[in-house]
Amino acid sequence: MPGDLPMPTAMFTADELAVIRRAYAHQVVATAATTNPRIEAAFATVPREKFLGAPPWQIANLGGGYRPLPSSDLVLAYQDVLFALQSDKGVNNGSPSLHARLLAELDIQIGDRIAHIGAGTGYYSAVLAELVGTSGHVYAVEMDPDLAAHAQAALADRANVSVVNADGSQWPQQEVDGIYVNFAVARPAAPWIEGLRPGGRLVLPLGVPRQDRPPKGGRHASHGAALRIERGEGGFAARWISTAYFVCANGGLTIDDNEIEALTAAFKRGGIEFVKSLLWKTEPRIGRCWYIGDQWALCYDDV
């Protein structure tokens, strides 16, 4: 972060803060209902305050909007709450427990190559970097130049992370083991499906943008679900993970009103939790799909 910005204060020693980070990580994975010790260790290691910008920090209210924290003590970063990164656009450093659950579904192994699409300021890119280890690599892709610049600075000490300022719909540009998407989309981008190596996993929030745009904040999903996609020999297995509401995509993944209407109708009908496969550039079986989009579908049949 630039040196002339105000910095967080420290009311706890480094040793005390290490214990606080461990307690935070333990609570996060418990709330996420995952017992993955590697994810807990990653959350206990990464200093979240490096990725939140200069104080005064703002956290999201449950009913909408933000409120400033009364102190710039960096220990306040270790809560399972949403911190605003760009409050005017509704961009947050997301819920740690939600991300812990989604990261568990990505099934990251040491040595994996992971594309993090919508990396923001890079906090979850750093968590991913811990999970892939020094033999793996994380491509942290962020379209907003200010967020990407912050990520570049905050991740500069991690040789296994490359920050890319680009439209996430164009990445990855080579085969990867996993793709982690951190904004709501109404359809997957072609590189997310075609860039998965055999056995590769994609976790993405499928979502329909709200029709009303709030006076402050970005356009969030009115219906949303996190999905896990895995590339197998015979096609793509798909599975519902949970409900999930993220800020909606800009750039190459914005959609028209017809797509919004069709996907909204599918969410209102229900049944996404029974989806078992994703069809890609394959003719779907009418009556066997939860949703049929342009050259892709989510279906109830096994791969």
Side-chain angles (χ1 to χ4, degrees), residues 141-163:
V141 184
E142 174 53 51
M143 187 169 71
D144 184 279
D146 293 332
L147 295 176
H150 188 141
Q152 185 73 61
L155 295 165
D157 59 345
R158 293 182 179 270
N160 64 343
V161 181
S162 300
V163 177

Side-chain angles (χ1 to χ4, degrees), residues 114-256:
I114 304 291
H116 183 197
I117 311 297
T121 56
Y123 177 57
Y124 296 105
S125 305
V127 173
L128 285 163
E130 292 287 329
L131 293 171
V132 302
T134 56
S135 61
H137 202 84
V138 177
Y139 301 93
V141 184
E142 174 53 51
M143 187 169 71
D144 184 279
D146 293 332
L147 295 176
H150 188 141
Q152 185 73 61
L155 295 165
D157 59 345
R158 293 182 179 270
N160 64 343
V161 181
S162 300
V163 177
V164 182
N165 181 202
D167 188 328
S169 68
Q170 305 302 312
W171 281 76
Q173 298 187 348
Q174 58 182 322
E175 277 196 339
V176 293
D177 300 285
I179 300 172
Y180 189 48
V181 180
N182 283 169
F183 49 81
V185 294
R187 55 185 166 86
W192 305 350
I193 303 300
E194 297 167 8
L196 284 178
R197 68 157 182 80
R201 293 84 55 202
L202 161 66
V203 170
L204 81 161
L206 187 73
V208 180
R210 290 172 51 178
Q211 294 305 293
D212 60 316
R213 187 182 294 271
K216 286 190 175 182
R219 196 177 188 188
H220 283 74
S222 60
H223 302 276
L227 299 175
R228 182 188 194 273
I229 312 297
E230 181 170 347
R231 184 171 201 161
E233 292 183 3
F236 297 90
R239 178 163 54 80
W240 176 85
I241 301 170
S242 68
T243 55
Y245 300 96
F246 282 71
V247 69
C248 292
N250 291 313
L253 284 169
T254 52
I255 60 171
D256 62 28

